[in-house]
């Protein structure tokens, strides 16, 4: 019990040392965005509650209108095998794609595989999950044609349960930080931009037995810098074994699981 209390004290101290999590500027901005988003949902209690419980890091990265749309996308909570997709245009051959689903292992890899198959190049992404299992994945994409929301829904739902694969990515630079967040391991990925990169990195995370709690993906000048907040399947920070597994899968790639005697052998760290 004393060890648990000591660990809890350390987590609280780590949070207090992060102004972006506890500082008045961040809190004030988050409160303002929640208030503005709440005004857009017509006093619906369930949506207001969901906006109020949205993760802070997510609220700080999204405008109020997007937060309101996202709350509507996961209310009521999607079924276990259901995906909800909305799309819109932001510029010439540029679109936003928002996906609502229940959180599950490999969700980001499944969604980004569907985007890649549709010929959509992800230029930005924000991922957030709620304690009740609701998950939002919001992307800005580049593509020659408007995304087909219904087709993406079918592709994502068809991909549920499939084992993601990825080629070797030896040029990727990866760094882990177990101090920056009191709850998650922060993983920063840097590499040259290329098609389906976000999917391949997400497939590596899934193969290593980790979960993406939050993500911010950006690209520019042919350089991609993606920041992920990761946990193991039990919700804890990543142990060295998980970090080593991610580095190994980045170097070697993720191959389809082999079948032996009628049973699927999964690749796990």
């Amino acid at each position: 019990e004393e060890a648990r209390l000591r660990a809890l004290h350390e987590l609280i101290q780590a949070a207090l040392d992060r102004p972006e999590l506890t500082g008045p500027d961040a809190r004030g901005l988050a409160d303002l965005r929640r208030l503005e988003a709440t005004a857009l949902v017509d006093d619906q209690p369930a949506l207001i509650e969901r906006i109020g419980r949205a993760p802070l890091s997510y609220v700080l990265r999204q405008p109020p209108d997007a937060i309101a749309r996202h709350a509507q996308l996961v209310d009521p909570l999607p079924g276990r095998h259901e995906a909800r997709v909305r799309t819109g245009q932001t510029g010439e051959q540029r679109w936003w794609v928002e996906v609502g689903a229940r959180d599950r292992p490999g969700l980001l890899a499944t969604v980004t595989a569907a985007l890649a198959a549709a010929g959509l190049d992800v230029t930005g992404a924000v991922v957030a999950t709620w304690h009740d299992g609701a998950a939002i994945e919001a992307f800005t994409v580049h593509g020659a044609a408007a995304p087909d929301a219904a087709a993406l829904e079918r592709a994502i739902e068809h991909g549920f349960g499939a084992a993601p694969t990825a080629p070797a990515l030896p040029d990727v630079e990866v760094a882990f930080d177990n101090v920056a967040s009191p709850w998650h391991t922060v993983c920063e990925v840097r590499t040259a931009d290329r098609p389906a990169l976000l999917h391949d990195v997400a497939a590596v995370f899934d193969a290593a037995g980790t979960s993406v709690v939050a993500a911010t993906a950006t690209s520019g000048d042919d350089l991609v810098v993606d920041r992920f907040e990761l946990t193991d399947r039990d919700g804890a920070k990543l142990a060295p074994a998980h970090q080593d597994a991610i580095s190994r899968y980045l170097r070697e790639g993720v191959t389809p699981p082999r079948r032996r005697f009628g049973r699927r052998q999964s690749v796990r760290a």
Side-chain angles (χ1 to χ4, degrees):
E1 187 66 25
E2 182 180 352
R4 294 192 187 97
L5 289 174
R6 187 180 298 112
L8 178 60
H9 173 75
E10 291 174 355
L11 289 175
I12 293 172
Q13 291 301 316
L16 291 174
D17 287 339
R18 294 189 66 197
E20 70 271 25
L21 288 179
T22 58
D25 292 341
R27 290 290 179 181
L29 177 60
D31 289 344
L32 177 61
R33 288 188 176 173
R34 292 183 202 274
L35 183 63
E36 293 176 347
T38 296
L40 300 174
V41 298
D42 298 327
D43 296 327
Q44 299 180 58
L47 298 180
I48 292 172
E49 181 179 4
R50 184 163 297 284
I51 292 169
R53 293 179 178 273
L56 176 60
S57 60
Y58 155 81
V59 172
L60 292 173
R61 295 182 177 109
Q62 294 290 279
D65 60 325
I67 296 171
R69 287 199 311 269
H70 298 167
Q72 295 168 332
L73 198 57
V74 291
D75 183 70
L77 190 66
R80 287 295 306 168
H81 305 289
E82 180 186 7
R84 300 172 187 163
V85 177
R86 291 180 181 172
T87 67
Q89 189 166 11
T90 63
E92 184 177 357
Q93 296 188 340
R94 297 190 177 277
W95 322 84
W96 54 260
V97 177
E98 297 169 345
V99 180
R102 286 202 191 191
D103 191 28
R104 59 195 300 148
L107 178 62
L108 181 59
T110 299
V111 173
T112 50
L115 295 175
L120 300 171
D121 183 27
V122 175
T123 59
V126 173
V127 174
T129 58
W130 278 256
H131 290 304
D132 65 350
I136 282 291
E137 302 194 343
F139 305 90
T140 52
V141 300
H142 178 270
D148 184 330
L152 287 173
E153 287 178 354
R154 292 192 297 270
I156 294 168
E157 291 170 356
H158 180 73
F160 284 155
T165 62
L169 302 169
D171 59 329
V172 169
E173 296 180 8
V174 61
F176 301 96
D177 188 338
N178 269 337
V179 178
S181 168
W183 305 283
H184 315 129
T185 295
V186 175
C187 175
E188 186 175 273
V189 172
R190 290 175 174 264
T191 188
D193 196 9
R194 66 172 189 76
L197 176 63
L198 182 57
H199 164 264
D200 294 340
V201 173
V204 165
F205 291 150
D206 182 56
T210 66
S211 298
V212 179
V213 178
T216 303
T218 57
S219 62
D221 297 327
D222 296 324
L223 176 67
V224 173
V225 180
D226 294 344
R227 184 180 187 273
F228 303 91
E229 295 182 35
L230 306 175
T231 68
D232 62 20
R233 298 293 196 229
D234 295 323
K237 290 186 179 184
L238 301 190
H242 284 98
Q243 298 180 25
D244 291 344
I246 290 172
S247 298
R248 184 175 71 254
Y249 284 123
L250 285 171
R251 291 193 309 269
E252 302 174 359
V254 179
T255 58
R258 294 175 294 174
R259 292 182 179 272
R260 293 180 180 174
F261 307 110
R263 295 182 180 180
R264 191 174 72 176
Q265 306 295 315
S266 59
V267 181
R268 291 289 181 226

